[in-house]
Amino acid sequence: MSETESIGFKAALEEAKKGFSEGGVPIGACLVDKDGKILGRGHNMRVQNSSATLHAEIATLETAGRLPASAYKGATMYTTLSPCDMCTGACILYKVSRVVMGENNTFVGGDDYLKQRGVEVVNLQNAECEQLMSEFIRKHPEDWYEDIGEPEKGHKH
């Protein structure tokens, strides 16, 4: 089975679409353990919850709940977009083994840093993920730039 067909990526993409339908930033994620069991899944909830930190990967870790460190050994974080510095840091902190991203054309996050820290990084270059993000950025630039910590780019003049 290819990564695009995997249970983790399908769940992440479903989450991204759910976020989009709620008017939020359409990024989804899913954490899958080494045996292929979903530990948690979620989507970016910054707009919906007026949250400073609830990116998709953080929401996913939150839904997974408190886990022993051993639960992350061999785990894969599926995410529809290259993870930002915060989410990259969370993956490194919990020693997630792999990060599989939908795409990094609309945003390049911590891809190189993850690799430097020994995390396997896979980029699926998925057109559906890219289209979803591009449409959101075009319609809601202020929300997007705020989400990645660049509010001055999103101001409407």
Side-chain angles (χ1 to χ4, degrees), residues 1-131:
M1 174 175 45
S2 76
E3 291 289 358
T4 308
E5 297 164 347
S6 74
I7 187 171
F9 182 70
K10 282 183 178 176
L13 188 53
E14 285 171 11
E15 290 288 340
K17 290 175 181 176
K18 185 176 180 186
F20 188 80
S21 72
E22 296 169 352
V25 182
I27 304 169
C30 182
L31 183 65
V32 177
D33 75 8
K34 66 182 181 312
D35 299 319
K37 178 183 170 225
I38 291 179
L39 298 174
R41 55 187 284 176
H43 57 276
N44 186 304
M45 296 286 292
R46 289 190 73 250
V47 173
Q48 299 92 313
N49 287 13
S50 195
S51 168
T53 59
L54 215 45
H55 283 192
E57 298 87 341
I58 302 302
T60 295
L61 290 166
E62 192 65 25
T63 63
R66 184 176 172 189
L67 298 172
S70 60
Y72 301 101
K73 189 173 175 65
T76 299
M77 178 68 79
Y78 290 89
T79 179
T80 57
L81 185 66
S82 175
C84 74
D85 290 342
M86 176 176 66
C87 297
T88 291
C91 288
I92 290 168
L93 175 69
Y94 291 109
K95 297 176 178 53
V96 171
S97 299
R98 298 171 70 231
V99 171
V100 176
M101 69 184 79
E103 59 101 2
N104 71 353
N105 287 335
T106 54
F107 175 79
V108 177
D111 306 11
D112 290 339
Y113 188 58
L114 285 164
K115 291 174 192 172
Q116 288 170 14
R117 295 298 299 265
V119 177
E120 180 186 349
V121 176
V122 178
N123 182 351
L124 300 176
Q125 299 177 333
N126 182 277
E128 191 173 4
C129 291
E130 187 173 342
Q131 184 272 327

